Each structure stands twice: as C-alpha cells, then as structure tokens.
Amino acid sequence: MLRRVAGVSKRIADSAAAFRSVFANANLRRLELAWAASILGNWAYLVAVSVYAYGVGGDTAVGLILMLRLVPAGLIAPFAGVLADRYPRERVLVVTNLLRIVLVAAAAACVFLDAPAWVVYALAVGAAIANTPVRSAQAALTPSLARSPSELTAANAVASTFESIAAFAGPALAGVLLVTIDIGTVFAVTAGLVVISTLFVLRIRIEAPAARRGLEASTIASEAVAGFRTIARNSSLRVLVGLFTAQTFVAGAVQVFLVVTALELLDLGDAGVGYLNSAMGAGALVGGVLALSLAGARRLSPAFMLGVVLWGAPLVVLGLTQSTPLALVLFALLGVGNSLVDVAAFTLVQRAVPDEVLARVFGVIQMLWLTSIGIGAIAAPALIGAVGLTTALVATGLALPILVVVSSPRVVRIDAIAEAPDEATLRLLGSTPIFAPLPGASLEHLAARLVPLRLEPGSVIVREGDPGDRFYIVAEGRLEVSQGGVALTDLHEGEYFGEIALLRDVARTATVTARTDVVLYALDRDDFLAAVTGHPQSAEAAETVMSARLAGPAATGYRATVVGS
C-alpha cells in the first residue's frame, strides 16, 4: 500500500515538474500561448459568424456556413501539411496567421459597412481555409521544441487544456460582446487575438534548420500522399488513426445527441443544452489535468484506449438510465475521455512518425477528424429516427468499446515503435558533442535507432583498415585503442569513436578492443549521417571534433586522433 501511494506521489510530482518545464522552456511557452490565443479567437469567431448567419438567413444559413467552413478545410488538410513539412513550421504559422488577420479584419469592416452577406460569408470561409495549416504545423513543431519525452507529453496536455478552456471562454467572450456591443466588434477582437498569437510565434527562436527541398507545383499531389503512405505502411499506426477517427465520428454524433437528450429525454429546455455542454467542458479540463500524469509514462496506448472507451461507455449508461445528475456526470466523462484521447494520440504519433512527414500525417488526421465529425453529425438524426434516441445512444456507445477490444493488440504494439527512450540514454546521447546541438525530438528519434551491444573482454569492435559502418558511444566498461599493433590509449564511459571514417568516407584508422565487459550504443552509418548533416549546428560540431582530432598532438594529443577512427 505504501509503495502504491509512493508511486502515485512520484507520478504527481513528475507531472508537476513536466508542467513547469513546459513554461520554463521559452519556445514551448510561446508556442502554447500562441495556440491559446489562436483557438480562443476561433471559438469566438465561430459564434459570431453563426449569429450573423442566423440573423441574415435563419438556421439554414447557419448550417450552410458551417458546412462551407468545415468541408473545404478537411479536403485541403493533407495538402496544408505539405507546407509545414517543406518550410519552417514557425514561418508557416506566421504567414497563416497574417492571412487570417486580413480576412477576419475585412469581415469586420464589411459588417460595419453593411456589405452584402455573401461577402462576409466568403471571408469567413476563406479564414477557415487559411486556418487549416495551423493545427498540423503546431503539432509538428512541438516535438522540435520539447527537450524530453515527458516535456513533449506535458506540452500536448497543456495544449489540450488550453483548447478546453477556449471552448468555454471563446463563446463566453463572444456572448458578452454580442450583448454589450455588436457582431463587428467580435470580428475585430478575433483579429486582435490572432495578432497576439502571431506575436508569440514571432518570438520563437529556433536554430536555423537544414535547408529543405523547395515545393514544386508538379510534386504537390505526391507530397500530400506521403502522409497517407506513412499511415498505410504501419499497421499499428493505421489502427490508432482508425480508432481516433471512430472517436471523432461519435463526437460528431454526440453534438446531436446532446441537444436531443437535453430537450426531449431529460426535458431540461434550452438551458439544458448549455448545462450538458458545460459538463463536457468541465470534464475536458479535468481530463487535461489528468493527462499531465502521462508525462512520465513510457506506455501511452492504455491511456488512449481508456479515452476511447470513455467516449462510448457513458452513452450506453445514458441510454439505459435517464437522470439529470447522472447525465451531467456522464457528459463530464466524455470530456475526460476527449482529453486523454487527444494527448495520448498526438504524443504517440509525434513519437512514431519521422519528422520529415509529421505535418503531413497530422494533415491526414485533421482531414479524417473534420470529415468524421461531419458524417457523425449527419448520421445521428437518421439513427434516432430509425431506432429512437435511447437505442441510438446504446448502439453508438457500444461501438467504441467493442472496437477497442478487437484492435487493442495492434494498438499496444505502437508503444514499441513510439516508446520514448529512457532518460539515461538521452543524457548519454546529448552529452556527445556532435549530437548536443540537436533538438529534443531529433535526439529521441536518434535514440530509438541506437543498437545496444554487450561485449566480452577481447572483443574487437572496429579493426584498422576496415570500412566504417557504425558510430559508437561507450556506456559502460573500458576499451583499448591501438594502431599498428601498438596500444595508444583507453576509452571510458561517455566517450565515443568512429565518426571520422563515416564523415570522411575513409577506412578505420585504428583498432578498438574491449578490455573489460563493455556496453556500447551503435548507430548505423545512414542514421548517423542523416542526423549530423541534417542539422547545421550538429554538422559544425562534428567538423570541430574532427578538425581537433586530425590536428594530432599539437591540438589534443595523439589519443584524440585515433579515437575518431
């Protein structure tokens, strides 16, 4: 019992430390605040546009404008992800925000000037389309700014929490302004929030990345398909995305179920819709806090599957037992599940997918997300009409737990390919001067490619004159370096060898033999070269190390010359 309490206390302490680390990391803090301002503006703008459309054309106009904002954004999401994979992601966020500012400010001006409604509608749809790259660019940029696996998970939890708060605060802000002032002012305030978001993004300081291949018009389609290919090739990732899509389908249906439950099943009136929505929002906030406990977790698939189940099981209970207090609790559980799904799924994808296609994968997920929400919202009324509300709730709710049970073996496997490396390995890798300049996400991907080797005394690791195929870091034990049969020096924990043969494409200049039992981490030639040459600061550090070693005794001694064999 005491051990369990101690474990929980440690997890809480680790979660708090991870949360603090997000805001101690200046770049992550700016990205999170930029996201908060952006999503707050989105919610306020959505309410204002809906109210404007209703005033002009009634509920039909509201449905039309929502569809026109949703469908095009979903269709172009994979293509928008290409931009964030081909150009600096912070620059994509800035350009996108500037375009949104222009379009929303223009809509505000049109409202103030009583311009035709179709102009305001066109600007609203344009702003929604312009906003499409934001989520994929933000999600793909986060791993580059996080310095550790726990910090990455915590950053996703903070982003999810901000999103939950914005779902409350954005409509509330719009409501206050609509009551006290007018719609045009809400549009103008939204533009101001996007300006604030842009200012935070502009303050993000990232070391210049390696130049990425420019985007040509003829390659846009093939580039966009890379996200689909990445998901299709990995069965565990494919199942994860499938479950995520099923959950968002249910989320779309819940938007309809919630209204009908409040008005017909529980007879709460219009205010009941607000109560149940508030319960979901409160649950999402609680879920965001709980998700912080995942910051120190090495396996995230259980949390993801629990979140998916929490999107289904409460609907089953609601269909079987109708009670207002119980309904509030059940909708709050849906909110908890939403936060767990978002944080776990995003972190698993960020860990498992190579950085060069990460934004495109998120673009595909965004497309599936928007599409499935729309389909769910359309399917729910048809299902209610066919079998009644309570049966529809039970049937929809049962689908997700069943899918989790069926697909859980494959989902669990994603922890193996997306498992965060242990902190000791990351520290060892980060203490190597060549890799020290790499961002946290790059170190994680590199650490996942390390091959551990345990060798007995007398084992020859590299032989003078052989071609170079691997880079080595010493984790434990002692090794002897010799040249021409003459012992020169020893290597100990934390030291490394093998980079010169790889970077200069020459034969090994020395023989390295284990003197004791040793533990090494080996990195294959292609992975080593991709990491070093793909990051200017790492390439510069490697050149500095090689120059010092090749300078011989005058610089660092003969030992340094052969260590880089």
Side-chain angles (χ1 to χ4, degrees):
M1 180 66 179
L2 291 176
R3 183 179 299 176
R4 183 177 301 174
V5 171
V8 173
S9 299
K10 184 179 184 301
R11 177 62 61 84
I12 293 173
D14 290 344
S15 301
F19 184 85
R20 289 193 299 270
S21 73
V22 171
F23 289 92
N25 182 330
N27 281 332
L28 265 185
R29 180 175 67 249
R30 292 160 185 160
L31 182 65
E32 296 288 1
L33 293 174
W35 169 244
S38 176
I39 195 67
L40 181 65
N42 281 351
W43 275 104
Y45 191 57
L46 176 62
V47 171
V49 168
S50 299
V51 171
Y52 176 85
Y54 185 82
V56 174
D59 54 1
T60 301
V62 174
L64 177 63
I65 194 66
L66 290 178
M67 183 189 72
L68 290 176
R69 282 169 53 85
L70 188 69
V71 174
L75 292 176
I76 71 169
F79 298 91
V82 176
L83 297 176
D85 277 337
R86 282 289 166 255
Y87 302 102
R89 286 157 184 164
E90 68 279 8
R91 190 181 304 168
V92 172
L93 288 173
V94 170
V95 172
T96 297
N97 279 354
L98 291 176
L99 184 57
R100 292 167 62 201
I101 291 167
V102 171
L103 292 170
V104 176
C110 288
V111 171
F112 286 129
L113 297 173
D114 290 326
W118 69 265
V119 178
V120 179
Y121 291 166
L123 290 169
V125 172
I129 293 173
N131 186 56
T132 304
V134 169
R135 193 60 174 120
S136 56
Q138 183 261 353
L141 180 59
T142 302
S144 301
L145 304 181
R147 297 169 297 194
S148 68
S150 60
E151 196 170 270
L152 174 61
T153 308
N156 287 327
V158 171
S160 178
T161 301
F162 279 164
E163 191 166 0
S164 300
I165 294 173
F168 272 115
L173 174 63
V176 170
L177 293 175
L178 288 170
V179 170
T180 58
I181 310 179
D182 53 32
I183 291 175
T185 301
V186 181
F187 284 12
V189 169
T190 298
L193 287 168
V194 182
V195 169
I196 293 172
S197 175
T198 306
L199 293 175
F200 279 121
V201 176
L202 286 171
R203 295 190 62 201
I204 294 175
R205 296 289 179 264
I206 302 178
E207 294 175 344
R212 298 187 183 188
R213 179 167 56 84
L215 185 61
E216 301 174 2
S218 62
T219 65
I220 291 178
S222 61
E223 291 282 351
V225 172
F228 291 97
R229 283 199 303 264
T230 301
I231 295 172
R233 288 172 180 168
N234 186 313
S235 61
S236 294
L237 186 60
R238 191 166 62 244
V239 172
L240 174 75
V241 173
L243 273 178
F244 193 37
T245 303
Q247 179 262 318
T248 54
F249 170 87
V250 173
V254 164
Q255 297 306 309
V256 177
F257 290 155
L258 184 149
V259 175
V260 182
T261 296
L263 297 178
E264 297 183 11
L265 192 64
L266 301 177
D267 197 23
L268 297 176
D270 292 344
V273 177
Y275 298 150
L276 297 183
N277 267 303
S278 296
M280 280 189 68
L285 287 175
V286 173
V289 174
L290 292 176
L292 283 171
S293 67
L294 301 176
R298 296 177 61 82
R299 298 176 65 248
L300 293 176
S301 61
F304 170 73
M305 290 186 289
L306 173 61
V308 174
V309 169
L310 285 178
W311 263 101
L315 297 180
V316 176
V317 177
L318 182 63
L320 298 175
T321 307
Q322 291 83 50
S323 160
T324 298
L326 179 62
L328 292 171
V329 173
L330 294 173
F331 276 96
L333 287 175
L334 292 177
V336 173
N338 190 68
S339 293
L340 292 178
V341 168
D342 282 356
V343 174
F346 271 56
T347 307
L348 283 168
V349 172
Q350 288 162 338
R351 288 179 180 176
V353 175
D355 180 72
E356 59 268 19
V357 294
L358 185 56
R360 276 168 286 179
V361 168
F362 275 117
V364 173
I365 292 173
Q366 186 177 3
M367 181 199 71
L368 296 173
W369 179 8
L370 293 173
T371 303
S372 59
I373 286 177
I375 295 173
I378 293 172
L383 186 60
I384 293 172
V387 299
L389 176 60
T390 56
T391 303
L393 287 169
V394 173
T396 305
L398 282 174
L400 289 180
I402 291 172
L403 285 174
V404 167
V405 171
V406 171
S407 60
S408 59
R410 286 190 178 182
V411 176
V412 169
R413 289 182 203 147
I414 199 171
D415 277 317
I417 63 172
E419 185 175 7
D422 62 79
E423 296 293 338
T425 303
L426 284 175
R427 281 196 300 270
L428 182 65
L429 197 60
S431 66
T432 305
I434 293 174
F435 302 131
L438 295 176
S442 297
L443 284 177
E444 279 194 52
H445 283 293
L446 203 59
R449 288 161 173 76
L450 291 175
V451 178
L453 301 174
R454 294 183 178 274
L455 302 171
E456 298 177 348
S459 301
V460 176
I461 294 90
V462 301
R463 194 180 302 276
E464 185 179 355
D466 285 352
D469 58 348
R470 281 178 165 182
F471 172 80
Y472 297 89
I473 303 175
V474 183
E476 297 177 17
R478 187 157 55 100
L479 302 99
E480 178 185 87
V481 180
S482 61
Q483 193 174 60
V486 178
L488 300 174
T489 189
D490 288 345
L491 296 176
H492 302 273
E493 179 181 343
E495 296 185 286
Y496 53 95
F497 59 96
E499 77 282 352
I500 291 178
L502 302 180
L503 290 168
R504 293 295 171 85
D505 196 20
V506 297
R508 299 292 191 187
T509 60
T511 298
V512 180
T513 307
R515 294 192 62 179
T516 66
D517 289 327
V518 297
V519 176
L520 305 174
Y521 284 108
L523 189 64
D524 286 341
R525 176 192 181 93
D526 290 344
D527 292 327
F528 174 82
L529 292 176
V532 174
T533 60
H535 192 277
Q537 284 70 33
S538 183
E540 183 179 347
E543 187 62 37
T544 300
V545 168
M546 285 195 302
S547 297
R549 288 179 167 175
L550 293 173
T556 57
Y558 192 66
R559 172 190 177 191
T561 304
V562 297
V563 169
S565 58

